[in-house]
Amino acid sequence: MRLGIISALHEEQQGLVEAMHSPHKLMHGMREYFVGRLWKIDAVCVLSRIGKVAAAMTATTLVEKFGVTHILFTGVAGAGDAGIRVGDIVVAESLVQHDMDASPLFPRYEVPLTGLTQFPTDSSMALELANAAARFLDNELAGTIDAQERAVFALDAPRLHRGLIGSGDQFVNEREHVQSLSKALPGLLAVEMEGAAVAQVCFELGVPYGVLRTISDNANENAATDFMRFVKSVAARYAFCIVRQFCLGHQASKVSAGTSS
Ligand code: SAH
């Protein structure tokens, strides 16, 4: 396995790059790619920047230039449903581009000429990610995020969800907008700006991928409040610990299966 790890925001990527064993940095297309070993996994870490085109460009480069065999996206997202709370974790089972509309030529949300409205993630990566996230919530959360930050963001027993994530080139910060998305896309758990673009690229190139999101806001008028504080003190730590759990878990499963990564 050569794992490409994409983060959308600098704060989320920093810890991973610092944890890399003998990384070397390569510039390509205005992005820095860090190649090295991360908890014994051959990895390439990169900041995609924000939005679908930025993410698609980064995912394509990871595959075509850096030869990654799997892609993992980590980031934050707005809640797509009233039952999802700030601090919860969403592991994508499938992703939809919620701003795609080539109707009436193609059905609403269908990505033209793919025949798909929802792109499924790789089921074994999704399972490994969910297991990693569950281990983090059960064993590491309390020791990782200090009590004051947990109180500020009311992180009271955060939960893990698996299902549909919607991506679009919009920061969703109006209650009516998120409500109409959730009505149009049953099962929508979270809204963000990159995942479904990575999904389309990976689908077209035949690369297994997974998407992990920490809920940073409720996608309503308060969405921008404390956004960066949450990213720094909560989401960056979630991402770091869950990626570590994912890498360690992946290594352990390979060892017990008697194969190498
Ligand atoms: N204020 C930030 C911009 C964040 S853009 C800055 O100045 O850097 C939002 C990022 O978080 C994107 O990567 C997106 O995927 C995710 N995100 C979090 N909440 C979101 C929401 N409510 N709507 C859309 N994207 C959201």
Side-chain angles (χ1 to χ4, degrees):
M1 171 193 259
R2 175 170 252 213
L3 181 64
I5 303 175
I6 308 179
S7 314
L9 303 172
H10 174 71
E11 291 73 14
E12 297 174 306
Q13 189 211 33
Q14 200 177 355
L16 293 174
V17 171
E18 284 166 11
M20 275 188 134
H21 203 256
S22 54
H24 62 278
K25 184 171 85 176
L26 284 151
M27 288 293 297
H28 182 79
M30 300 186 180
R31 284 159 181 74
E32 295 176 341
Y33 291 79
F34 295 90
V35 183
R37 290 191 81 74
L38 200 53
W39 299 294
K40 298 197 178 153
I41 300 263
D42 182 18
V44 186
C45 292
V46 58
L47 196 64
S48 63
R49 312 206 300 246
I50 294 165
K52 293 202 285 73
V53 174
M57 148 106 183
T58 310
T60 307
T61 303
L62 276 173
V63 177
E64 297 295 329
K65 192 171 169 64
F66 291 90
V68 306
T69 59
H70 297 70
I71 289 184
L72 169 55
F73 193 102
T74 73
V76 290
D81 179 275
I84 312 284
R85 294 198 304 249
V86 169
D88 284 0
I89 298 170
V90 177
V91 172
E93 301 279 355
S94 56
L95 296 110
V96 57
Q97 295 178 26
H98 70 64
D99 55 355
M100 173 60 76
D101 187 1
S103 63
L105 305 179
F106 295 89
R108 181 86 171 90
Y109 304 118
E110 182 171 309
V111 176
L113 309 180
T114 64
L116 291 179
T117 53
Q118 296 186 10
F119 291 83
T121 53
D122 179 68
S123 55
S124 60
M125 278 186 83
L127 181 62
E128 285 183 46
L129 271 177
N131 289 339
R135 287 196 296 275
F136 164 70
L137 289 176
D138 289 347
N139 308 326
E140 294 184 308
L141 176 79
T144 306
I145 317 280
D146 70 50
Q148 194 196 335
E149 294 301 286
R150 272 186 280 138
V152 166
F153 293 106
L155 302 184
D156 175 29
R159 290 179 305 157
L160 169 66
H161 310 268
R162 296 174 66 174
L164 179 65
I165 293 182
S167 314
D169 285 321
Q170 294 147 347
F171 184 77
V172 180
N173 62 354
E174 284 167 21
R175 193 179 307 275
E176 292 72 32
H177 190 183
V178 70
Q179 280 173 349
S180 74
L181 289 174
S182 127
K183 207 167 153 204
L185 297 163
L188 184 72
L189 298 179
V191 289
E192 38 89 316
M193 302 176 70
E194 299 84 16
V198 173
Q200 184 180 344
V201 167
C202 288
F203 167 75
E204 295 187 4
L205 296 177
V207 171
Y209 70 97
V211 176
L212 171 83
R213 294 281 181 174
T214 302
I215 301 299
S216 54
D217 60 87
N218 290 313
N220 60 16
E221 288 69 11
N222 300 324
T225 320
D226 286 343
F227 180 86
M228 284 323 292
R229 178 169 175 183
F230 183 87
V231 168
K232 279 193 194 107
S233 65
V234 180
R237 292 179 190 170
Y238 270 54
F240 179 86
C241 294
I242 297 170
V243 171
R244 181 175 58 195
Q245 289 283 1
F246 175 85
C247 291
L248 295 174
H250 186 81
Q251 274 302 109
S253 70
K254 292 294 164 204
V255 170
S256 66
T259 54
S260 75
S261 70

